[in-house]
Amino acid sequence: MLRRPAPALAPAAWLLLAGLLCGGGVWAARANKHKPWLEPTYHGIVTENDNAVLLDPPLIALDKDAPLRFAESFEVTVTKEGEICGFKIHGQNVPFDAVVVDKSTGEGLIRSKEKLDCELQKDYTFTIQAYDCGRGPDGSANSKKSHKATVHIQVNDVNEYAPVFKEKSYQATVVEGKRYESILRVEAVDADCSPQFSQICSYEIVTPDVPFTVDKDGYIKNTEKLDYGKEHQYKLTVTAHDCGKKRAAEDVLVKISIRPACTPGWQGWNGRVEYEPGTGALALFPNAHLETCEGSVASVRVKVELETSHIGKGCDRDTYSEKSLHRLCGAASGTAELLPSPSGSLNWTVGLPTDNGHDSDQVFEFNGTQAVRIPDGVVSVNPKEPFTISVWMRHGPFGKRKETVLCSSDKTDMNRHHYSLFVHGCRFIFLLRQDPSGEKKYKPAEFHWKLTQVCDEKWHHYVLNVEIPRVTLYVDGVSHEPFSVTEDFPLHPAKIETQLVVGACWQGGDLHMTQFFRGDLAGLTIRSGRLTDKKVIDCLYTCKEGLDLQVPEDSGRGVKVQANPSQSVLTLEAEDVGELEKAMQHIAYLNARQFPTPGIRRLRLTSTVKCFNEVACASVPPVDGYVMVLQPEEPKISLSGVHHFARAASEFESSEGVFLFPELRIISTITREVEPNGEGDEDPTVQESLVSEEIVHDLDTCEVTVEGEELNPEQESLEVDMARLQHKGMEVSSSDLGVIFTGVDTMASYEEVLHLLRYRNWRARSLLDRKFKLVCSELNGRYISNEFQVEVNVIHTANPMEHASHMAAQPQFVHPEHRSFVDLSGHNLANPHPFAVVPSTATVVIVVCVSFLVFMIILGVFRIRAAHQRTMRDQDTGKENEMDWDDSALTITVNPMETYEDQHSEEEEEEEEEEESEDGEEEDDVTSAESESSEEEEGEHGDQQPASRQQQLEWDDSTLSY
């Protein structure tokens, strides 16, 4: 086979080969064939608050495409295929980046992009790749990347946090004379993340010269026996150090109290407990603990006593009148109160000394020289019918003579006692003589009870249910049968009136009092025709305050509880001291009154401990304390409405009469102190503000009295809606002085009843005005409203048919007050009759009218023009005039031939003009004020009437003499 000869080399090729052989230089043209190479795993350390990461091994990327360096005689040109252009980190939210330090050697480093915090994250793990700078044979970009290497970086801690104690202060109690291995432990924590800086290595007591030491775990113990006589309490300052020698930012206070050697008794309760009215039950012993000094206790008996004998009649009860209390407790009507609170119509107790206050019940004191006669008609007792006598009494051992509580005896001629209630030593005796009858034989007449309550100088409630021949006595709700009953003949027939006396007995034959009572009485009532139920008796005696015990199901197991009827004594007994303590922690004081009587209620705790070893049994001393009932917010009862109005005489004479309080409003408010919010408590310039808050409570009395002359029953009266009263459960008593509504009911009910109170006068033609005063109260006069006064005027008219054309356009002179807290005294005309008002000073009016009659006719024309111009001017300017009456200088003149604008003299006009210029406000007489007030009120309601409107004043000449 023939071979073709090789072609000859070109001259340029020979030259290139000759240059390479001569060593003048080496030119290389290489392609990017290999990937960069990294170590598979890197471990790094970075210190928080720094960004440089120290890696092991160092971050170096190798590439086989990198040129080899030969002898120094060769000049090597490095190609980019062997260089490292960058590193790329893979991972989510990795706070690091990698940079190339030297491209030719492939050296790089990792650094943090942000400030690291070991306490937030201690280590990070991510992957990294290296990229070379190579290109392809054709010169296009063709970089290669290495495999993914794993990088673990740990954040080194810096001791930046100081130790902090878990509690702000520590306290403990130890018994004197003992060495304790540990009294208490203080503990601090460090927020650093590393064990070196986060662990507490030591504690130190900073306070010098104290008999205590603390170990590295924070346990404090005493170095010597403690003496209560030397020191009652030690105050230590303790600090802590972490393992980086950093001290606690703030030292802690440790209080160690020393108590005498163990003494059995109750611990952990306050001697003073404050009770705020209206807050419900208040726990008295929430942290009570019975110290038995590790005795072998078999059982414990505890007696808790609440002393309330100095409050009211033995405890806090509603202080309504006795009649109201009977009705509240469900008793039927018919109760007669013999010792009522003094008032206008019930005034026979005015001379008796009282408790001088209304925080508690109305109490009357009898000193052995005083007595009160009950007016005739207040009560009537028929011995043949059942009746009940009820009384509160406090009596002491004052001797062996008879002391009469209640006595009905002959008013004149003889000294016979029909029935009486008296005490003799410690005996309670009731006498009832039968009325004359056809048969003369002995009948039960005197009933005796021997009771310690009669002479123990404490308040007790006595109820006598009398139904001959049986008489039952209830003392504090407990029934007692008489131990002795004496019989006697019935009384001899005699037509002699009887006299009922409280506090003594009237001797009609000798005309003097005898058997005076010494002690205190309250709530004396007689109810004829019916006996009092046991349920009502219990209700009358029940206290509104007392001890309350509500033990949860999971506490107080095996504890026996007993309570007296008044809830003032609780007795607890248990074998387990722990269960007894749990029950004690639920004993509470409760006062159900909305406005309780403030003051101190004494508390006494007596305990009896029984042990298995009777010789070594602990003796627990009694404990005394008190509950302080704070003063309740005092309500302010406000009455408001129309103070002054006028009606036609025909309305007073009609069967309906005139309603006295058509717009009456009754509200009650209390004033509270409101502390400022926010940081205002620390600012001394910020003051507490007062806020009025409306509350709802009951009323028990509203009294309407006549101002001036008493009511004349022959021509006038105050009438009420009896059907409405019975429906509301109220009672009313009337007299020449006015009417009194009694009964516990809401303020809204009293408003409704008073709205319907009417005044009638069937001879109103001779009446000019009448004034009435209304006062309401709560809790038997403890809280009293303002005096609300009403004045009514009678409008006298001539023949109304002559002026019928002027009646349809009369304005409503009404300025009612709604929810006002201030007793205003303005004169308002409510729903007036279309005729002018006649002043109350009748004599002056008649004299002035007759004197100026002729003179006013002459000047009438001028007066019409002046009044008309002034009316137009006031309407245009919108000026408001007040309709105030000055009765002292009031002058009214009446012209029967002209309109009311003609009824002002030139002298009055000049005087009014002067007052306008000096004071800036206009005060007219009754007629002009009537006209201008009409225009003013029409303007307020948006109903503009013509300014030239005429109103006719009509003349009543029935009282004039010519």
Side-chain angles (χ1 to χ4, degrees):
M1 183 176 180
L2 295 177
R3 293 188 177 182
R4 190 176 178 176
L9 293 174
W14 288 111
L15 290 175
L16 176 60
L17 180 60
L20 291 173
L21 293 175
C22 292
V26 178
W27 296 89
R30 300 179 58 187
N32 188 17
K33 298 180 179 180
H34 301 92
K35 296 179 181 180
W37 180 86
L38 292 174
E39 294 286 348
T41 304
Y42 294 89
H43 294 275
I45 298 175
V46 61
T47 303
E48 62 178 350
N49 303 328
D50 192 8
N51 64 347
V53 179
L54 180 62
L55 287 177
D56 182 29
L59 180 62
I60 297 177
L62 301 178
D63 195 328
K64 293 183 178 181
D65 292 324
L68 297 175
R69 297 183 181 276
F70 297 102
E72 294 182 357
S73 59
F74 288 90
E75 178 177 316
V76 180
T77 302
V78 180
T79 61
K80 292 186 177 181
E81 285 75 6
E83 295 181 348
I84 302 300
C85 276
F87 296 93
K88 184 176 181 181
I89 292 177
H90 298 275
Q92 230 176 5
N93 300 325
V94 178
F96 298 95
D97 60 1
V99 295
V100 178
V101 177
D102 190 337
K103 291 184 178 182
S104 61
T105 62
E107 181 181 356
L109 61 84
I110 297 177
R111 60 188 180 187
S112 62
K113 296 187 292 184
E114 58 189 40
K115 182 179 178 181
L116 301 178
D117 192 344
C118 177
E119 287 72 37
L120 296 179
Q121 188 167 347
K122 295 182 179 180
D123 52 46
Y124 298 88
T125 300
F126 54 88
T127 58
I128 188 172
Q129 281 183 309
Y131 292 82
D132 63 15
C133 301
R135 294 180 178 273
D138 56 356
S140 61
N142 188 24
S143 62
K144 292 185 179 296
K145 57 185 178 181
S146 69
H147 64 279
K148 292 183 179 179
T150 303
V151 181
H152 301 282
I153 297 179
Q154 180 179 350
V155 182
N156 278 356
D157 189 21
V158 174
N159 194 9
E160 56 184 332
Y161 293 100
V164 177
F165 285 95
K166 288 186 175 182
E167 303 291 339
K168 292 184 178 180
S169 63
Y170 294 86
Q171 59 184 4
T173 302
V174 295
V175 180
E176 64 176 348
K178 294 178 63 177
R179 292 281 297 269
Y180 291 87
E181 291 297 327
S182 173
I183 297 176
L184 78 160
R185 183 189 182 190
V186 295
E187 187 176 1
V189 294
D190 196 307
D192 289 310
C193 66
S194 65
Q196 178 183 1
F197 299 136
S198 63
Q199 289 183 357
I200 307 300
C201 282
S202 65
Y203 293 90
E204 179 185 358
I205 296 178
V206 181
T207 307
D209 302 327
V210 291
F212 298 94
T213 184
V214 59
D215 61 15
K216 63 182 183 64
D217 295 323
Y219 290 98
I220 297 177
K221 64 180 181 179
N222 56 322
T223 57
E224 62 184 41
K225 293 183 179 181
L226 304 176
D227 187 358
Y228 178 80
K230 181 179 178 181
E231 194 73 40
H232 291 0
Q233 185 184 68
Y234 289 91
K235 295 183 179 179
L236 314 177
T237 302
V238 179
T239 189
H241 298 272
D242 62 18
C243 295
K245 303 291 186 184
K246 196 160 191 172
R247 182 173 174 170
E250 184 176 351
D251 300 338
V252 71
L253 178 64
V254 178
K255 296 180 181 179
I256 300 179
S257 300
I258 314 301
R259 72 181 185 192
C262 182
T263 301
W266 286 99
Q267 301 173 358
W269 71 292
N270 296 324
R272 172 189 170 101
V273 181
E274 291 189 352
Y275 180 80
E276 184 175 350
T279 56
L282 174 65
L284 297 177
F285 318 106
N287 301 309
H289 166 66
L290 179 60
E291 178 61 59
T292 58
C293 297
E294 301 178 357
S296 55
V297 178
S299 65
V300 181
R301 186 175 183 269
V302 179
K303 184 179 182 181
V304 184
E305 298 175 271
L306 180 70
E307 177 59 42
T308 60
S309 60
H310 61 290
I311 302 296
K313 299 190 294 286
C315 66
D316 212 359
R317 296 181 175 90
D318 284 330
T319 56
Y320 295 116
S321 66
E322 202 66 23
K323 185 184 294 186
S324 298
L325 290 175
H326 277 73
R327 183 173 292 275
L328 285 176
C329 288
S333 59
T335 301
E337 197 168 1
L338 304 186
L339 289 177
S341 297
S343 62
S345 57
L346 309 176
N347 55 5
W348 60 84
T349 58
V350 172
L352 287 177
T354 64
D355 58 353
N356 296 323
H358 293 289
D359 284 346
S360 57
D361 301 275
Q362 187 77 54
V363 174
F364 295 94
E365 179 184 353
F366 294 83
N367 57 12
T369 62
Q370 296 169 315
V372 292
R373 302 189 187 198
I374 308 301
D376 296 338
V378 173
V379 63
S380 176
V381 173
N382 184 355
K384 296 181 180 180
E385 296 181 356
F387 64 94
T388 299
I389 300 177
S390 175
V391 65
W392 285 92
M393 184 178 71
R394 180 168 58 186
H395 181 261
F398 298 122
K400 297 184 178 180
R401 65 181 183 86
K402 292 182 178 180
E403 299 178 42
T404 300
V405 175
L406 177 68
C407 178
S408 176
S409 59
D410 290 332
K411 184 175 290 188
T412 58
D413 298 337
M414 289 187 286
N415 298 328
R416 298 181 305 170
H417 296 181
H418 293 256
Y419 65 89
S420 66
L421 184 65
F422 59 95
V423 294
H424 191 189
C426 289
R427 295 188 179 187
F428 192 82
I429 303 170
F430 174 66
L431 169 68
L432 178 63
R433 300 291 300 276
Q434 296 292 319
D435 288 339
S437 59
E439 50 183 8
K440 293 182 179 181
K441 65 178 182 178
Y442 286 102
K443 292 185 177 180
E446 199 168 85
F447 302 83
H448 294 250
W449 292 267
K450 190 173 183 179
L451 304 168
T452 58
Q453 294 93 327
V454 174
C455 51
D456 63 359
E457 295 187 275
K458 295 181 180 179
W459 280 106
H460 297 284
H461 186 229
Y462 301 85
V463 177
L464 270 173
N465 272 342
V466 182
E467 189 174 17
I468 297 300
R470 181 179 177 82
V471 177
T472 304
L473 172 65
Y474 292 89
V475 181
D476 297 338
V478 179
S479 62
H480 297 266
E481 295 295 330
F483 80 93
S484 174
V485 178
T486 303
E487 296 183 341
D488 200 350
F489 278 110
L491 292 174
H492 298 288
K495 296 181 179 180
I496 302 176
E497 295 183 353
T498 59
Q499 175 65 60
L500 184 60
V501 177
V502 176
C505 199
W506 174 251
Q507 299 293 94
D510 302 331
L511 299 180
H512 69 85
M513 295 286 186
T514 186
Q515 299 178 7
F516 286 95
F517 179 78
R518 287 181 294 174
D520 298 319
L521 298 177
L524 178 56
T525 62
I526 295 181
R527 183 182 177 203
S528 300
R530 297 183 64 177
L531 300 179
T532 301
D533 296 336
K534 179 63 166 60
K535 183 179 179 181
V536 176
I537 296 173
D538 292 338
C539 175
L540 292 173
Y541 177 71
T542 302
C543 295
K544 291 293 185 178
E545 65 176 342
L547 299 173
D548 182 59
L549 178 58
Q550 300 292 334
V551 181
E553 294 182 359
D554 57 344
S555 299
R557 296 176 181 175
V559 179
K560 299 178 182 179
V561 181
Q562 293 180 345
N564 66 336
S566 61
Q567 291 293 113
S568 61
V569 179
L570 283 180
T571 303
L572 290 77
E573 188 171 357
E575 296 179 357
D576 189 335
V577 177
E579 292 298 326
L580 180 71
E581 290 177 351
K582 292 179 181 179
M584 286 288 297
Q585 293 171 1
H586 289 87
I587 295 179
Y589 170 79
L590 177 64
N591 196 315
R593 294 189 64 191
Q594 187 176 10
F595 305 107
T597 303
I600 291 175
R601 277 71 164 169
R602 299 287 178 185
L603 273 174
R604 187 170 181 84
L605 196 65
T606 54
S607 306
T608 304
V609 179
K610 293 182 179 180
C611 301
F612 295 105
N613 183 1
E614 297 293 337
V615 178
C617 194
S619 176
V620 179
V623 179
D624 294 315
Y626 64 92
V627 177
M628 172 58 75
V629 179
L630 302 179
Q631 180 75 36
E633 299 288 349
E634 184 169 340
K636 179 182 179 182
I637 305 172
S638 300
L639 310 179
S640 61
V642 178
H643 286 276
H644 195 162
F645 61 90
R647 294 288 190 274
S650 59
E651 294 189 30
F652 288 91
E653 297 173 352
S654 67
S655 59
E656 292 294 330
V658 174
F659 294 104
L660 289 181
F661 308 104
E663 300 290 338
L664 178 67
R665 290 284 293 131
I666 305 176
I667 63 172
S668 182
T669 58
I670 58 174
T671 302
R672 297 184 184 274
E673 292 184 356
V674 179
E675 297 182 356
N677 296 326
E679 300 178 355
D681 298 339
E682 302 176 357
D683 189 354
T685 62
V686 178
Q687 298 181 353
E688 295 180 343
S689 58
L690 299 179
V691 177
S692 292
E693 179 180 331
E694 186 172 342
I695 62 172
V696 177
H697 59 78
D698 294 332
L699 298 176
D700 62 353
T701 303
C702 278
E703 184 174 2
V704 180
T705 55
V706 182
E707 296 284 296
E709 298 181 359
E710 297 180 0
L711 291 173
N712 184 357
E714 296 182 357
Q715 68 177 32
E716 57 184 343
S717 66
L718 290 173
E719 299 182 357
V720 297
D721 190 340
M722 297 304 298
R724 186 67 57 90
L725 279 178
Q726 293 177 357
H727 178 71
K728 294 291 183 183
M730 299 183 190
E731 295 184 2
V732 62
S733 59
S734 303
S735 68
D736 295 343
L737 299 176
V739 295
I740 301 177
F741 299 92
T742 57
V744 181
D745 212 326
T746 62
M747 292 184 289
S749 296
Y750 269 91
E751 272 186 14
E752 184 179 348
V753 170
L754 288 169
H755 284 169
L756 302 178
L757 179 63
R758 297 166 292 154
Y759 170 66
R760 288 188 61 202
N761 191 313
W762 42 94
R763 298 180 186 175
R765 299 294 177 179
S766 59
L767 178 67
L768 296 175
D769 59 18
R770 256 308 193 183
K771 295 180 180 179
F772 300 90
K773 179 179 68 175
L774 171 64
V775 176
C776 294
S777 64
E778 164 69 337
L779 294 175
N780 206 18
R782 179 176 176 183
Y783 302 116
I784 303 176
S785 72
N786 60 304
E787 292 185 355
F788 180 72
Q789 296 181 342
V790 172
E791 180 179 350
V792 294
N793 292 99
V794 181
I795 302 175
H796 297 284
T797 63
N799 186 1
M801 296 302 295
E802 298 177 2
H803 305 280
S805 61
H806 299 280
M807 294 177 62
Q810 297 304 315
Q812 297 291 322
F813 299 141
V814 181
H815 298 278
E817 302 168 320
H818 294 288
R819 307 177 75 86
S820 172
F821 303 106
V822 181
D823 186 16
L824 304 178
S825 58
H827 296 272
N828 300 325
L829 301 179
N831 192 21
H833 195 275
F835 301 105
V837 177
V838 176
S840 62
T841 55
T843 305
V844 176
V845 172
I846 295 174
V847 173
V848 172
C849 290
V850 174
S851 300
F852 286 91
L853 180 59
V854 178
F855 184 69
M856 292 303 297
I857 294 175
I858 298 174
L859 297 180
V861 176
F862 297 96
R863 176 58 185 150
I864 293 173
R865 184 181 301 275
H868 181 67
Q869 292 177 353
R870 186 173 67 255
T871 302
M872 294 296 294
R873 182 171 64 255
D874 291 344
Q875 186 178 15
D876 294 337
T877 59
K879 180 178 180 181
E880 296 183 2
N881 299 322
E882 293 187 12
M883 191 170 62
D884 295 331
W885 290 29
D886 185 3
D887 294 344
S888 62
L890 184 62
T891 303
I892 296 180
T893 57
V894 180
N895 184 357
M897 300 180 63
E898 299 293 339
T899 57
Y900 79 100
E901 289 88 354
D902 301 332
Q903 299 165 15
H904 296 271
S905 65
E906 187 175 13
E907 295 176 357
E908 292 173 334
E909 177 67 17
E910 292 173 357
E911 182 180 354
E912 293 164 1
E913 296 284 337
E914 291 174 0
E915 291 177 354
E916 275 186 75
S917 61
E918 292 175 1
D919 302 331
E921 61 183 55
E922 183 176 336
E923 295 181 5
D924 289 339
D925 57 21
V926 177
T927 309
S928 62
E930 180 182 357
S931 175
E932 291 168 8
S933 294
S934 171
E935 295 170 358
E936 175 185 326
E937 204 162 358
E938 290 164 2
E940 292 175 356
H941 292 81
D943 299 330
Q944 299 292 339
Q945 299 294 337
S948 60
R949 184 183 194 173
Q950 302 289 322
Q951 296 184 1
Q952 189 70 28
L953 180 68
E954 301 196 7
W955 179 257
D956 180 10
D957 57 352
S958 62
T959 60
L960 296 181
S961 60
Y962 298 94

